[in-house]
Amino acid sequence: MITLNATHQADLTSWVDSANTAGNGFPIQNLPFASFRRRGSGEAFRPGVGIGNQIVDLSRLYDLNLFTDKAQQALEACQGIQLNGLMALGQPYWSALRLALSEALRSGSPHEEAIRPLLVAQDEAEFITPSRIGDYTDFYISVHHATSIGKQFRPDNPLLPNYKWVPIGYHGRASSIGVSGQAFPRPVGQTKPQNEGDAPDFGPCKRLDYELELGIFVGESNEQGQRIDIEQAEKHIFGFCILNDWSARDLQAWEYVPLGPFLSKNFASTISPWIITLEALEPFRTAFSHPATDPQPLPYLHSQANAEGGAYDIELEVQITTQQSRDSGQQPFTLATSNFKDAYWTASQLITHHTVNGCNLQPGDMLGTGTLSGPNADQAGSLLELSAAGKKPISLPWGESRSFLEDGDEIIMKAVCKKDGYPDISFGSVSGTVLKANFKSE
């Protein structure tokens, strides 16, 4: 496992003044990665690191030859458009680059004069997905979400027999994953007929929903046929982002038996542009366990290190704006908050289970956690839960209500790690907007 080191010192400050502002989220202890360019410039996208309200251009930093050995080799891998090359190198190179960046950006660094011209303001940048995502697997690791949804269909036995034994997942669609700011047409498809024996309805989705999740980016790959043991799993995790896995609930209800989600999930998924590295999250580890009355993880899904610190204390929030609220200048309304530490499985367990049959993960692949709901009603990570499948519409402060999303609605998700005596580590935010369906009735 990664351990605390010089990059985690709480009293470190940067010569980038905005990184030292309390609550800015991107202090020198964070150093998240993204792929960016100046907005509207026509420049090539390239990797960068966030510091305060600025981005360090890693492509240009390599040309300065300020770093040595593994750190410089890591910068050389950042010469492409996205971060796959860096991800492929593995944890020793990621750590070497993090340390070199931390030292170069600290107050009093002799490299300030050389690096300052490489800064680009974040509010002047545009982003693409930080990696080329070859494959995407979405899991279902919130027992609170699974129980809440299950009660709607099986009140007396909401969880299926396998849930507490195995991390459940399905293969998603990587091609429709977009970065924050994504706007997409309302999906169209078949829905269950009103009467048994009738033909299904076909048209725009009527029960569009969001899902509050985290994305887990794979770093170093494993060869096909070679499993990743849980003791080694973290070496294959580059970092985390925020993920909104949009869901068409009415399409899903009709199609999911027997093979699971298809058109109800593949039309759009939106991620935040920043990857927060596993090393940056080291101070926010927390213990992981299943309740004593539940089945305990099988031996291949258990390690002492995972039990002692395999979970992470990451606070999550989901907000909504509507066309009406934006027109009247209203602030976004918080629908719910939750925390990743309440998940039923850890990131290491997901990597281990995914590869236990020899499946080969590739640098830049992404795993979704599934909806991250908490134990309380106000910690539900989807409208399906919050509105009780539409039976209890959510009242919004500007006079509207929502059971499911309407055209023009924008969903904003945020994530942050907080700890007394330590700077906040922010994941930034992810937003996405629902457009009118591309549909013509026949």
Side-chain angles (χ1 to χ4, degrees):
M1 296 177 74
I2 299 167
T3 58
L4 292 171
N5 56 48
T7 68
H8 299 107
Q9 295 177 31
D11 60 353
L12 290 180
T13 59
S14 173
W15 51 261
V16 180
D17 291 337
S18 58
N20 306 321
T21 303
N24 82 90
F26 282 17
I28 196 168
Q29 292 82 358
N30 190 348
L31 302 179
F33 289 87
S35 181
F36 81 103
R37 69 180 180 188
R38 290 177 178 83
R39 187 182 300 110
S41 67
E43 299 171 344
F45 285 96
R46 65 271 193 190
V49 151
I51 178 76
N53 59 14
Q54 302 291 313
I55 307 169
V56 180
D57 187 330
L58 295 183
S59 178
R60 293 178 61 196
L61 182 58
Y62 170 74
D63 295 334
L64 297 182
N65 288 307
L66 300 178
F67 299 167
T68 60
D69 301 325
K70 286 185 174 66
Q72 186 67 359
Q73 293 173 56
L75 277 182
E76 185 177 11
C78 295
Q79 295 305 292
I81 294 173
Q82 291 159 300
L83 291 160
N84 299 71
L86 175 62
M87 293 171 165
L89 289 179
Q91 192 270 330
Y93 292 85
W94 311 335
S95 290
L97 178 57
R98 175 179 167 83
L99 177 59
L101 286 168
S102 175
E103 292 175 342
L105 293 168
R106 290 177 196 174
S107 299
S109 166
H111 299 315
E112 175 182 352
E113 184 176 351
I115 296 177
R116 187 174 288 279
L118 309 187
L119 299 181
V120 176
Q122 289 187 30
D123 60 8
E124 296 176 2
E126 58 183 343
F127 300 87
I128 57 172
T129 57
S131 78
R132 183 179 64 259
I133 303 171
D135 275 302
Y136 162 48
T137 301
D138 197 28
F139 284 90
Y140 193 48
I141 69 172
S142 170
V143 69
H144 307 294
H145 174 69
T147 301
S148 177
I149 299 303
K151 283 180 178 178
Q152 297 181 17
F153 303 98
R154 301 174 299 277
D156 298 328
N157 192 21
L159 293 180
L160 294 173
N162 62 353
Y163 187 85
K164 292 185 176 182
W165 287 103
V166 57
I168 303 297
Y170 72 93
H171 193 80
R173 182 73 181 175
S175 65
S176 53
I177 298 174
V179 78
S180 183
Q182 184 180 30
F184 60 91
R186 178 177 295 272
V188 172
Q190 293 188 24
T191 53
K192 188 176 181 180
Q194 294 294 320
N195 301 307
E196 187 173 351
D198 290 349
D201 296 324
F202 177 72
C205 159
K206 296 183 177 66
R207 294 163 69 90
L208 185 61
D209 202 357
Y210 59 83
E211 291 189 351
L212 176 61
E213 305 191 21
L214 290 176
I216 304 165
F217 279 96
V218 175
E220 188 176 358
S221 63
N222 61 300
E223 293 184 10
Q224 187 174 5
Q226 298 298 312
R227 58 190 279 184
I228 298 173
D229 292 336
I230 192 164
E231 291 85 355
Q232 304 299 316
E234 287 191 358
K235 294 181 179 179
H236 297 265
I237 300 173
F238 184 72
F240 290 78
C241 71
I242 314 170
L243 165 63
N244 184 350
D245 188 33
W246 308 91
S247 296
R249 300 298 187 185
D250 43 357
L251 276 62
Q252 185 176 1
W254 177 237
E255 74 179 8
Y256 84 99
V257 176
L259 296 181
F262 180 34
L263 298 183
S264 58
K265 295 278 193 173
N266 70 359
F267 57 93
S269 299
T270 314
I271 62 174
S272 54
W274 298 101
I275 300 179
I276 312 305
T277 63
L278 209 60
E279 193 162 358
L281 297 176
E282 183 65 24
F284 304 95
R285 285 187 183 275
T286 186
F288 162 81
S289 66
H290 284 172
T293 54
D294 282 5
Q296 297 306 297
L298 293 178
Y300 81 97
L301 290 172
H302 171 76
S303 74
Q304 190 62 34
N306 190 66
E308 292 175 355
Y312 292 90
D313 186 353
I314 303 173
E315 299 177 12
L316 306 166
E317 180 181 14
V318 58
Q319 301 176 318
I320 188 172
T321 75
T322 70
Q323 189 64 58
Q324 178 178 319
S325 74
R326 296 190 296 273
D327 289 345
S328 58
Q330 300 286 332
Q331 292 297 308
F333 175 68
T334 296
L335 292 166
T337 60
S338 65
N339 196 300
F340 184 45
K341 68 182 179 181
D342 293 323
Y344 201 73
W345 302 100
T346 68
S348 289
Q349 289 172 319
L350 301 189
I351 293 286
T352 297
H353 183 67
H354 204 309
T355 63
V356 73
N357 64 347
C359 175
N360 53 319
L361 301 178
Q362 300 291 334
D365 286 355
M366 192 179 77
L367 312 182
T369 59
T371 305
L372 294 171
S373 299
N376 303 320
D378 62 351
Q379 295 177 306
S382 69
L383 280 175
L384 184 64
E385 299 166 83
L386 284 174
S387 72
K391 299 181 183 68
K392 299 178 180 179
I394 310 301
S395 296
L396 303 178
W398 47 85
E400 293 182 283
S401 65
R402 287 293 185 272
S403 296
F404 293 97
L405 298 174
E406 298 185 7
D407 294 349
D409 287 355
E410 176 194 35
I411 293 295
I412 303 165
M413 296 178 177
K414 301 178 181 180
V416 65
C417 297
K418 295 187 176 183
K419 184 177 182 179
D420 288 344
Y422 198 83
D424 291 355
I425 301 298
S426 173
F427 286 56
S429 66
V430 57
S431 67
T433 304
V434 182
L435 305 178
K436 185 177 180 181
N438 290 328
F439 176 74
K440 294 182 179 179
S441 59
E442 299 179 357

